[in-house]
Amino acid sequence: MQTSEKGIAFLRTKENTVLKAYRDVAGVWTIGDGLTAKSGVITPKAGMTITMVEATRLLKLALARNYEPRVARALGPSSQNAFDGAVSFDFNTGAISRASWVNLFLEHKIELARAALLSWNKAGGKALPGLTRRRQEEADIIFRNRYPQSVRVGPAKVGDAEPRNVFAVFVITVEPADVERIRSAFRGAGYDPGGDAGKVLLKTVRAFQVQYGLTPDGKIGKATLSTLQRVADAKAKGKATAVATIGSGALAGGNAAATPLGFDVAGALADPALITLVIAGMAAIAGCRLAWLAWHYRDTIAPRLKRRLPRFAAWLGRF
């Protein structure tokens, strides 16, 4: 059994098709509908782009290889709508083989099955609005054959989801509180989101996308949010490293004290050679830490080096 066109359209409303490779929050290269090298159908790399036709082909191939066989084994003979909703669930969780709602569904305990499905709305032990909404919509598809009105089948019309004013378009569902966090993240990255609560300026999003090698379409989706999160993480960890380095340096000049082993710290610090050795050691540790951070967040650092160190930035961006 295969996912229907309506099922694929629904899945895409949740996954957000991205046609240029980007790093997710964990730093893994991703493209299309959330496809990484683990999908077995493509190995995304820096600078890689695909067409919407290719993205559709890759998604269907990934479903056929990795998800549809698993769902078919778990559900057995089923209606198309139940299969579509279950594929979306497995694509998101990978848990179709162990989810309790499946057995309840097969036993025709529909209300219990629905409640069990809706319980899969947590991450880190906390219920998330986006997952809650997704589970509700999947439940409507599976148990009521009711697809969301936003699901469209067929090629997109010219102008669909295109910016119609000076504000960026959110192409994934976000809560008001999420929008405010996104606005704060843009501000922290050095971009003015504008003065309108609940919105982000189109020019701001495009400028951010240009700087970090994303498609400058002014749409806020998975690629833009993943990159924004990585920029925020890089800044936060950079500050933490700086604080740790300053703190370590201050310890060298702190109050004298004897260790439990009787080692005289004050006397040791009086030796210039030892002072030099200690400082060199601390500098080496701090340098290694900063080098690791630079490598880990190379995709967010490289754009900032384009003007001053274009060759180094280009080399760094290849990884």
Side-chain angles (χ1 to χ4, degrees), residues 27 73 92 105 191 304 318:
R73 286 194 298 270
N92 179 238
F105 172 72
Y191 295 85
R304 296 184 178 275
R318 289 203 303 267

Side-chain angles (χ1 to χ4, degrees), residues 80-96:
Q80 184 65 61
N81 58 287
F83 189 82
D84 288 348
V87 166
S88 172
F89 171 83
D90 194 45
F91 195 91
N92 179 238
T93 66
I96 193 68

Side-chain angles (χ1 to χ4, degrees), residues 168-234:
V169 173
F170 284 89
V171 293
I172 57 175
T173 304
V174 294
E175 298 293 318
D178 295 330
V179 176
E180 290 311 307
R181 283 192 287 270
I182 291 168
R183 283 171 50 80
S184 295
F186 273 115
R187 193 177 294 110
Y191 295 85
D192 179 18
D196 293 78
K199 299 177 182 179
V200 181
L201 289 173
L202 177 62
K203 64 179 182 180
T204 293
V205 175
R206 282 180 170 164
F208 177 84
Q209 291 170 330
V210 167
Q211 179 166 0
Y212 290 99
L214 303 172
T215 302
D217 54 12
K219 299 176 183 178
I220 302 176
K222 293 181 74 172
T224 299
L225 292 180
S226 294
T227 304
L228 184 61
Q229 181 65 61
R230 287 177 57 76
V231 171
D233 289 346

Side-chain angles (χ1 to χ4, degrees), residues 66-77:
N66 306 322
Y67 301 98
E68 291 170 345
R70 222 162 42 202
V71 172
R73 286 194 298 270
L75 293 187

